[in-house]
Amino acid sequence: MSNDLQPYLTAIEEALRAAVSTPSDAVAPLYDMMAYHLGWLDEQFRPIEAYHGKRLRPLLCLLACEAAGGEWRKALPAAAALELVHNFSLIHDDIEDNSPTRRGRPTVWTLWGLAHGINAGDSMLILARLAIARLSDHGMDEATGLTAMAILDQTCITLCQGQYLDIASEGHLEVSEEGYLRMIGAKTAALIAASTQLGALIGGATDRTDHYRQFGWQLGLAFQMVDDILGIWGDPATTGKPTASDIRSRKMTLPIIFALQTSSQSQELADLYRKQHPSDEDVSRAVAILDRAGARQYVQQRAAQYEASALAALDAASARSPAADHLRTLATSLTSRQK
Ligand code: GRG
């Protein structure tokens, strides 16, 4: 990420640490579990600087605020809230998916058990709501603050719907690309769209928030498609996930949907995907079928189309400033990201 983004990233970290500060010694371990997930502590709760993810959503929020003509620091409570919702959803997703690792480290639930994992996730969601409620401390008028809270809450229920669609699609090999777009729209694009929309709202571009939201939505769809590619072809050392992890967990991602519909070996792929516990050889065979079907190239090309739509929405918002240029660069770097 560009060095120019460092001031935003530093401020995001400060806002997150303030939002997740321990209120008393008695409950310190609960906050330490959250701090572990956010990359600040190790398993023994000693300070560490672990890889903590890209902080993409808060970054988009701050940059959208500035591009819309606002002072980006005013959006910090919303930025922190967005990252906390994202990380809450990851803690719960890891439980629901039975995932042993996240960002190359053991997941919260594998270290401290399901009960603490669920509770740490729930706490993080509530801390997100408390963080966005502090917009008024940064000079935000009450009506805009309430609108921002409503956007965050609506996004959370949309995320739950997306997660439902994702869970319900497991083992259903007839999922269409349309159904897939509905699912990833809710599961991934909604939070990224809320990030750019909230930034524009706080930045005062009330007549252009829809364009900023569209920018985030289209970007979110492209982002998930790239995530689908990384979930199959990503380098485990870089992504922090096992090889072809999405195939092992039989996720209905776009490369699979495309190959099931177009490959001459779709029957074999479907048979492999029906296996409850695919072996390493099954996984390699499935990846070979996807390769032959050109699934990777197809998804890359779809992601590029959504990225282009995102950039068109940003143009429609008439965003012209260094911050808008950062938004453009971030968007274009997405389709070539490695993690
Ligand atoms: C928010 C109330 C509420 C419920 C959430 C568990 C759940 C319901 C939703 C899960 C949604 C989910 C896990 C979506 C995946 C989105 C995604 C692409 C995650 C990876 O994002 P990155 O690459 O992660 O930005 P980093 O590690 O960089 O932060």
Side-chain angles (χ1 to χ4, degrees), residues 1 37 51-58 83-97 102-103 122 125 152-153 155-164 166-167 183-184 186-189 191-192 220 223-225 227-228 230 239 241 251 334 337 339:
M1 233 169 246
H37 177 84
Y51 175 65
H52 54 45
K54 297 175 281 297
R55 305 294 197 227
L56 175 68
R57 294 150 190 85
E83 187 63 13
L84 291 173
V85 166
H86 168 57
N87 279 279
F88 149 72
S89 80
L90 298 181
I91 292 177
H92 275 213
D93 189 57
D94 289 339
I95 293 171
E96 292 167 18
D97 279 356
R102 161 79 53 192
R103 299 170 180 148
D122 290 349
L125 175 60
L152 192 72
D153 282 347
T155 306
C156 287
I157 189 64
T158 305
L159 246 77
C160 291
Q161 294 163 5
Q163 185 73 343
Y164 162 76
D166 193 14
I167 296 167
M183 185 270 286
I184 67 162
K187 198 182 92 154
T188 304
L191 189 58
I192 296 182
F223 184 81
Q224 182 60 56
M225 289 175 190
D227 210 64
D228 286 2
L230 295 174
T239 60
K241 294 182 197 170
K251 290 250 169 222
L334 268 183
R337 74 193 165 98
K339 63 183 178 184

Side-chain angles (χ1 to χ4, degrees), residues 187-210:
K187 198 182 92 154
T188 304
L191 189 58
I192 296 182
S195 305
T196 49
Q197 181 185 10
L198 281 170
L201 175 79
I202 297 163
T206 37
D207 55 333
R208 282 165 289 141
T209 50
D210 281 354

Side-chain angles (χ1 to χ4, degrees), residues 23-42:
S24 74
D25 287 351
V27 293
L30 166 63
Y31 287 75
D32 289 346
M33 286 176 220
M34 292 189 264
Y36 166 85
H37 177 84
L38 291 165
W40 308 324
L41 297 180
D42 71 8

Side-chain angles (χ1 to χ4, degrees), residues 1-10 12 59 63 326-327 330:
M1 233 169 246
S2 153
N3 275 345
D4 296 349
L5 298 179
Q6 201 49 56
Y8 304 92
L9 289 167
T10 304
I12 289 166
L59 205 45
L63 291 170
H326 285 316
L327 286 176
L330 263 184

Side-chain angles (χ1 to χ4, degrees), residues 34-277:
M34 292 189 264
Y36 166 85
H37 177 84
L38 291 165
W40 308 324
L41 297 180
D42 71 8
E43 295 172 27
Q44 271 78 46
F45 300 147
R46 291 173 303 217
I48 189 179
E49 283 190 24
Y51 175 65
H52 54 45
K54 297 175 281 297
R55 305 294 197 227
L56 175 68
R57 294 150 190 85
L59 205 45
L60 287 171
C61 176
L62 299 182
L63 291 170
C65 175
E66 195 176 0
E71 156 53 49
W72 63 268
R73 288 188 177 275
K74 277 192 178 175
L76 278 168
L82 289 157
E83 187 63 13
L84 291 173
V85 166
H86 168 57
N87 279 279
F88 149 72
S89 80
L90 298 181
I91 292 177
H92 275 213
D93 189 57
D94 289 339
I95 293 171
E96 292 167 18
D97 279 356
N98 219 19
S99 303
T101 57
R102 161 79 53 192
R103 299 170 180 148
R105 298 199 299 162
T107 43
V108 171
W109 74 271
T110 51
L111 289 173
W112 295 290
L114 276 180
H116 280 311
I118 292 168
N119 195 46
D122 290 349
S123 305
M124 201 177 275
L125 175 60
I126 302 305
L127 290 177
R129 295 202 80 240
L130 290 171
I132 203 164
R134 284 194 284 271
L135 272 174
S136 57
D137 300 348
H138 285 59
M140 193 55 46
D141 64 276
E142 206 174 308
T144 308
L146 285 174
T147 304
M149 289 186 80
I151 291 171
L152 192 72
D153 282 347
Q154 178 57 53
T155 306
C156 287
I157 189 64
T158 305
L159 246 77
C160 291
Q161 294 163 5
Q163 185 73 343
Y164 162 76
L165 292 171
D166 193 14
I167 296 167
S169 74
E170 257 166 56
H172 289 272
L173 303 185
E174 68 286 357
V175 175
S176 63
E177 186 164 328
E178 191 190 347
Y180 164 85
L181 286 172
R182 193 178 313 118
M183 185 270 286
I184 67 162
K187 198 182 92 154
T188 304
L191 189 58
I192 296 182
S195 305
T196 49
Q197 181 185 10
L198 281 170
L201 175 79
I202 297 163
T206 37
D207 55 333
R208 282 165 289 141
T209 50
D210 281 354
H211 293 309
Y212 280 96
R213 182 174 171 79
Q214 261 311 306
F215 166 64
W217 186 272
Q218 303 293 327
L219 188 60
L221 296 177
F223 184 81
Q224 182 60 56
M225 289 175 190
V226 175
D227 210 64
D228 286 2
I229 292 174
L230 295 174
I232 297 174
W233 292 282
D235 173 8
T238 315
T239 60
K241 294 182 197 170
T243 333
S245 58
D246 283 355
I247 304 272
R248 279 175 212 284
S249 48
R250 305 187 306 149
K251 290 250 169 222
M252 286 305 289
T253 61
L254 191 53
I256 293 290
I257 293 167
F258 173 77
L260 283 171
Q261 285 172 0
T262 62
S263 166
S264 56
Q265 294 171 288
S266 63
Q267 193 52 53
E268 188 186 347
L269 182 61
D271 291 342
L272 288 168
Y273 238 60
R274 282 199 193 90
K275 290 193 178 179
Q276 282 277 346
H277 301 289

